[in-house]
Amino acid sequence: MAKFNILIAGNNDPISSIGIDLLKAEPSFDVTVNMNLKAEDAMVEASREAHAIIVRSGAKVTAKVLDAAKNLKVVGRAGVGVDNIDIPYASKRGVVVMNTPGGNTVSTAEHAFGLMMSLSRKVPQAHASVIGGKWERKNFQGAELNKKTLAVLGMGRIGTEFAKRAQAFGMTVVAYDPYLSANRAEMLKVELRDNLDDAVKDADFITMHMPLTPETKHMLNETRLRLCKKGVRVINCARGGLVDDNALAKLLEEGHVGGAALDVYEVEPPPADYALLKAPNVVFTPHLGASTEEAQESVGIEIAEQVKENLLHGTVVNAVNMPNVDPKTLAEIGPFLRFGEILGRLISQIAPQRAEFLRVNYSGNLGKMDTTLVSRGVLKGYLERPIGADQVNLINAVGTAENLGLRFTESRVPEPTEFSDLIEVEVGSGENKAVISGSFFGGDPRIVKINGRRVEATPEGTLLLLENDDRPGMIGAYGTILGKHQVNIANMSLSRNVEGGTALTLLTLDSTPPQAVIQELEKIPGVKRVYCMELE
Ligand SMILES: NC(=O)C1=CN([C@@H]2O[C@H](COP(=O)(O)OP(=O)(O)OC[C@H]3O[C@@H](n4cnc5c(N)ncnc54)[C@H](O)[C@@H]3O)[C@@H](O)[C@H]2O)C=CC1
Ligand SMILES: O=C(O)CCC(=O)C(=O)O
């Protein structure tokens, strides 16, 4: 039985014990929990033998960690944000990265809403004052939420939950999210703004609920904050860096921004001299949005299940760097996926060198399916020879092709051609290309065309493709040479363009002929080309 090492890595932020126990209960898993992995070097050492690493936000899975973890197959994030994982590098290494969207949505929305209420009623300051023995009621006059305008930036799961609560408090909700449809905005009864400046300029409160990306970094910078109404209050329970913390500190000091409630920071934890920590009218929490029993149990169990299923059965759920494959889909597309890889492997052995494009075209029943993974399989099969079979997989195949300058496209049409299902793979540059087509006969895969010529071969063993003048005696000549070298022909398929033109002979062989035999075949008068194609 294969053994898998699972590292649950953190910096004092463990995942739920139920999730850990679920993994420990699996006999083939060896589970290590290490919560002292703040430093990269410590993380590198702890990861060396891991097949899976599970983290929250405390531990970082950097390129160095990914390089050290030679056996690594999967990184699981017990939570939403994956900015502590180097996703492009994980993809390049062929490591699947999964998260658990949804498990902490309500907890985070409630926390952000709680922050907004604390901010508007100065709860932390009033609390500190009472503890300090004071009774300063006039210093802590707050503001109602009722009838105020709230701008929700990022109207995904958490933004939506926040907006619903705000509406229940009588707030007018304006939303900015370039990926939100007008229909959905209407359904949620929020005013959708196309322009970020328009969304924030009249807001009394702004709350942010989107990932940190190059596009969203410093979305609230000094210029945009100055555009807002004087006294605007800002809540960030998504990611540090969405707001420019230094600009926010400056505008809080000036009084242009009336208050801020933050769960996340550009630097976590913020150092003692962090400007924001000294700014007035602020409420801070130490990245607690998802820190509830319910959310942690939910994401801890989810990620444990996902990692377990991936290691044991190859199931991919909630991956951020490859399409999802649940067990049902995996069973459905399994045969197509395997055939796709074989077609890729085949065409790599007859395609022109330095190909610039690889196209996968589906028609008929296959044209109605989600074939994303099958196409990745074709690409993987194609790249195995030049890159090495252990270096390319379904996750990094697209990136690897890009690095080689190979343009990868797929097309689908639901109409059948002469076959009810057809996968056609074209590889080449300009007009110089090789084309292989495959279909299924009674559920069994068949190679049905090579370079537009009709053939029929079961994709197994070794295939020998010979192009020769169409004239008598050619097949006898091949058979004699192969027989002399004890190479048995299991199957043969013939086709020609016109009588006396060029013929294509596709032989399925029981063993792979040595190179010397191929050279002998090439010397037969009338033979134009000989390709020996191994399918495994
Ligand atoms: N403080 C905490 O403990 C937690 C923080 N988070 C953070 O909250 C964020 C949101 O989480 P979910 O709502 O679950 O994610 P989600 O994926 O459901 O929503 C994100 C939304 O942001 C929108 N978006 C993307 N780019 C945008 C842009 N340039 N401008 C405006 N909107 C944009 C997307 O269209 C999407 O609707 C996550 O990125 C995560 O980092 C999540 C959970 C806990
Ligand atoms: O693990 C945590 O508590 C952080 C949660 C978070 O930030 C996220 O899910 O994006």
Side-chain angles (χ1 to χ4, degrees):
M1 184 175 33
K3 273 269 176 201
F4 294 108
N5 299 317
I6 300 178
L7 172 67
I8 299 175
N11 172 24
N12 274 324
D13 56 347
I15 73 160
S16 129
S17 57
I18 309 182
I20 298 176
D21 291 345
L22 196 147
L23 292 166
K24 283 188 172 163
E26 175 52 48
S28 60
F29 290 176
D30 194 345
V31 182
T32 306
V33 181
N34 189 336
M35 285 297 127
N36 293 309
L37 296 176
K38 185 173 178 214
E40 189 181 39
D41 285 350
M43 187 68 187
V44 164
E45 284 314 311
S47 306
R48 287 198 190 281
E49 302 303 320
H51 295 92
I53 301 177
I54 298 181
V55 292
R56 277 177 65 184
S57 54
K60 290 192 173 41
V61 184
T62 59
K64 215 169 148 191
V65 172
L66 289 159
D67 270 339
K70 298 282 179 232
N71 303 324
L72 195 63
K73 293 181 178 314
V74 53
V75 176
R77 160 68 158 110
V80 182
V82 283
D83 37 344
N84 53 329
I85 303 162
D86 188 333
I87 308 286
Y89 203 71
S91 303
K92 199 168 163 202
R93 277 268 346 265
V95 172
V96 59
V97 180
M98 302 168 162
N99 67 352
T100 55
N104 58 23
T105 299
V106 168
S107 289
T108 310
E110 284 182 359
H111 188 67
F113 204 83
L115 285 177
M116 180 167 73
M117 294 188 72
S118 302
L119 178 64
S120 65
R121 302 306 293 265
K122 306 184 180 170
V123 173
Q125 292 83 354
H127 171 88
S129 161
V130 173
I131 284 188
K134 297 183 192 148
W135 195 255
E136 307 172 296
R137 297 179 61 216
K138 72 174 180 351
N139 287 351
F140 299 121
Q141 183 165 293
E144 280 187 359
L145 301 181
N146 187 36
K147 297 201 168 80
K148 297 293 188 313
T149 298
L150 166 73
V152 180
L153 311 184
M155 197 69 178
R157 289 175 294 262
I158 299 170
T160 298
E161 288 301 319
F162 192 105
K164 282 190 208 161
R165 284 154 181 76
Q167 284 161 341
F169 272 69
M171 301 183 89
T172 299
V173 181
V174 166
Y176 173 74
D177 186 326
Y179 307 98
L180 185 78
S181 73
N183 277 349
R184 173 99 179 126
E186 201 179 319
M187 214 177 87
L188 296 170
K189 300 188 173 58
V190 297
E191 288 174 29
L192 188 58
R193 301 279 159 90
D194 291 337
N195 177 295
L196 177 57
D197 290 345
D198 276 352
V200 296
K201 70 179 184 347
D202 300 321
D204 300 295
F205 292 85
I206 301 172
T207 186
M208 321 195 73
H209 301 286
M210 83 261 301
L212 179 66
T213 63
E215 191 196 347
T216 60
K217 187 167 161 74
H218 288 184
M219 186 168 243
L220 290 189
N221 54 18
E222 182 171 346
T223 315
R224 190 155 286 122
L225 284 167
R226 287 203 186 279
L227 197 82
C228 296
K229 255 174 41 178
K230 186 168 183 330
V232 65
R233 292 171 171 92
V234 175
I235 299 111
N236 185 5
C237 197
R239 276 296 176 272
L242 295 175
V243 185
D244 178 343
D245 282 355
N246 285 329
L248 181 63
K250 183 174 163 192
L251 271 74
L252 281 160
E253 291 291 354
E254 284 180 17
H256 183 75
V257 173
L262 306 175
D263 186 44
V264 288
Y265 309 85
E266 288 196 77
V267 184
E268 288 188 16
D273 62 350
Y274 207 58
L276 260 178
L277 299 185
K278 296 177 188 66
N281 302 320
V282 281
V283 179
F284 300 122
T285 50
H287 204 143
L288 291 183
S291 293
T292 62
E293 265 176 50
E294 294 85 350
Q296 284 316 308
E297 196 172 304
S298 163
V299 298
I301 295 172
E302 270 177 56
I303 204 64
E305 291 281 8
Q306 287 173 205
V307 166
K308 179 177 151 188
E309 288 304 305
N310 180 263
L311 290 177
L312 297 182
H313 308 295
T315 309
V316 179
V317 177
N318 295 329
V320 298
N321 60 347
M322 79 171 282
N324 282 347
V325 206
D326 58 56
K328 191 169 160 269
T329 315
L330 199 58
E332 267 170 28
I333 66 159
F336 303 111
L337 186 56
R338 274 190 294 281
F339 191 34
E341 285 187 21
I342 287 175
L343 291 175
R345 235 169 265 145
L346 264 178
I347 203 159
S348 73
Q349 297 172 68
I350 63 167
Q353 285 195 329
R354 283 184 279 286
E356 285 169 0
F357 64 81
L358 184 150
R359 292 195 278 260
V360 191
N361 310 312
Y362 301 89
S363 56
N365 293 327
L366 273 168
K368 297 174 201 158
M369 284 175 50
D370 179 357
T371 49
T372 317
L373 267 188
V374 182
S375 301
R376 284 187 179 224
V378 173
L379 202 49
K380 170 178 179 286
Y382 175 77
L383 292 168
E384 277 174 359
R385 277 171 185 266
I387 302 297
D390 56 340
Q391 296 298 312
V392 60
N393 58 34
L394 297 177
I395 302 157
N396 66 9
V398 178
T400 308
E402 271 168 18
N403 286 346
L404 290 172
L406 182 73
R407 236 174 24 258
F408 163 60
T409 53
E410 76 165 10
S411 73
R412 285 187 285 255
V413 290
E415 292 80 27
T417 54
E418 67 233 75
F419 303 94
S420 51
D421 286 306
L422 197 73
I423 314 180
E424 180 189 70
V425 185
E426 301 175 85
V427 178
S429 45
E431 293 303 306
N432 185 18
K433 64 176 181 179
V435 189
I436 288 194
S437 308
S439 185
F440 285 83
F441 294 178
D444 293 328
R446 290 283 190 284
I447 296 151
V448 293
K449 276 188 183 177
I450 295 183
N451 293 338
R453 300 279 194 77
R454 182 77 173 86
V455 293
E456 190 183 325
T458 305
E460 58 194 17
T462 299
L463 294 181
L464 197 65
L465 181 70
L466 304 114
E467 209 178 54
N468 53 269
D469 294 340
D470 180 35
R471 65 179 195 213
M474 296 306 293
I475 294 165
Y478 298 152
T480 306
I481 292 175
L482 290 171
K484 190 174 76 185
H485 294 281
Q486 304 300 314
V487 179
N488 192 43
I489 300 173
N491 187 41
M492 177 161 65
S493 170
L494 299 171
S495 90
R496 63 183 178 192
N497 50 2
V498 286
E499 193 179 334
T502 304
L504 208 62
T505 309
L506 185 63
L507 303 177
T508 309
L509 306 178
D510 285 341
S511 57
T512 304
Q515 195 50 35
V517 178
I518 306 291
Q519 283 164 356
E520 217 176 315
L521 291 166
E522 283 169 342
K523 287 189 190 131
I524 299 173
V527 168
K528 296 183 171 177
R529 260 182 288 266
V530 182
Y531 297 102
C532 181
M533 302 180 281
E534 292 177 78
L535 304 191
E536 297 306 327

